[in-house]
Amino acid sequence: MKTRLTIVETIENIDFSAQRMDFSRCENMAFVHCQFPDFGNIDFTDCVFEDCNLSNVKFNNCKLDNVEFYDCKMVGASFAQTKDFAFEAHFYGCNLDYSAFDRKKLNKSSFEQCRFHEANFTQADFTKSKLSQCDFTSALFDKTNLTGVDMRSCSNFLIDPTQNFIKKAKFRAQDLAGLLYRFDIQIS
């Protein structure tokens, strides 16, 4: 297991779409090679998901407090309705294509080597979050707060500086086209 968290119980190879989840609270648990339908009203604290399929999962009214996701398939997952209090999630090598983080405060979260093709970050707050080697092909940034975020190792983003907050954010010179696309200018 890749985590730095103390794990008390590990659940492996369970398809929760065929078996009911009888949890309202999960602490110090690891889920490995599991498949999940939707989550609702579950509080996760210091938990790990590794190589799980969480595609199209809606984390409705869930608490994610220091939760780690490793190499998970999370295509179409929605974090928009998670509880804001204590939200802290860390993603490593996850596929988050078409995921929704709209209006989510992500300021304690980190994302490393993740894929976010056509993900929705409308009004999300990335202040103080960590982004490393993420691919944002066709991701939507609209009124997104990226203040102070280091995007230098990220790729394929289109961020309109007139519609987003990017003060003190860091970008590579070669990625300026992703910031200036709206102005229909040629950069060479």
Side-chain angles (χ1 to χ4, degrees):
M1 181 146 320
K2 303 173 185 177
T3 185
R4 59 177 171 70
L5 299 174
T6 302
I7 299 302
V8 176
E9 181 180 357
T10 300
I11 297 173
E12 296 184 70
N13 302 311
I14 301 290
D15 182 351
F16 287 102
S17 59
Q19 178 178 330
R20 182 171 146 76
M21 276 189 76
D22 289 327
F23 304 111
S24 62
R25 184 180 182 121
C26 296
E27 289 186 31
N28 302 100
M29 293 179 69
F31 299 91
V32 181
H33 301 294
C34 293
Q35 183 165 330
F36 298 90
D38 286 337
F39 286 127
N41 302 307
I42 300 175
D43 290 347
F44 294 98
T45 302
D46 297 328
C47 290
V48 174
F49 293 84
E50 186 173 328
D51 292 314
C52 290
N53 185 347
L54 296 132
S55 291
N56 296 313
V57 166
K58 291 175 181 61
F59 291 89
N60 290 331
N61 203 33
C62 287
K63 177 180 171 186
L64 299 179
D65 181 6
N66 199 26
V67 177
E68 298 177 354
F69 298 91
Y70 293 92
D71 303 310
C72 291
K73 183 178 179 184
M74 306 177 81
V75 175
S78 178
F79 297 87
Q81 298 301 317
T82 57
K83 295 177 183 175
D84 285 328
F85 181 74
F87 183 91
E88 181 180 353
H90 305 280
F91 302 85
Y92 307 93
C94 295
N95 180 347
L96 289 142
D97 291 352
Y98 306 101
S99 58
F101 289 90
D102 40 319
R103 295 181 187 87
K104 185 82 345 237
K105 290 185 187 226
L106 303 166
N107 54 9
K108 292 182 187 174
S109 299
S110 60
F111 305 88
E112 293 182 23
Q113 298 179 348
C114 292
R115 196 173 119 151
F116 291 100
H117 292 196
E118 299 191 44
N120 182 357
F121 298 108
T122 300
Q123 296 182 1
D125 185 354
F126 279 96
T127 306
K128 299 179 186 173
S129 66
K130 294 181 180 135
L131 298 170
S132 176
Q133 299 177 353
C134 294
D135 179 356
F136 291 100
T137 300
S138 300
L140 176 61
F141 293 92
D142 184 34
K143 296 179 183 68
T144 306
N145 190 345
L146 295 159
T147 302
V149 173
D150 189 343
M151 298 281 290
R152 291 179 291 186
S153 67
C154 297
S155 60
N156 302 317
F157 51 82
L158 296 175
I159 300 170
D160 182 348
T162 67
Q163 297 297 314
N164 295 282
F165 307 96
I166 62 168
K167 185 176 182 177
K168 299 200 181 214
K170 297 176 184 173
F171 300 94
R172 294 179 296 197
Q174 68 218 41
D175 292 326
L176 288 178
L179 295 170
L180 301 174
Y181 74 96
R182 179 178 196 261
F183 301 105
D184 198 24
I185 59 176
Q186 294 180 1
I187 300 171
S188 51

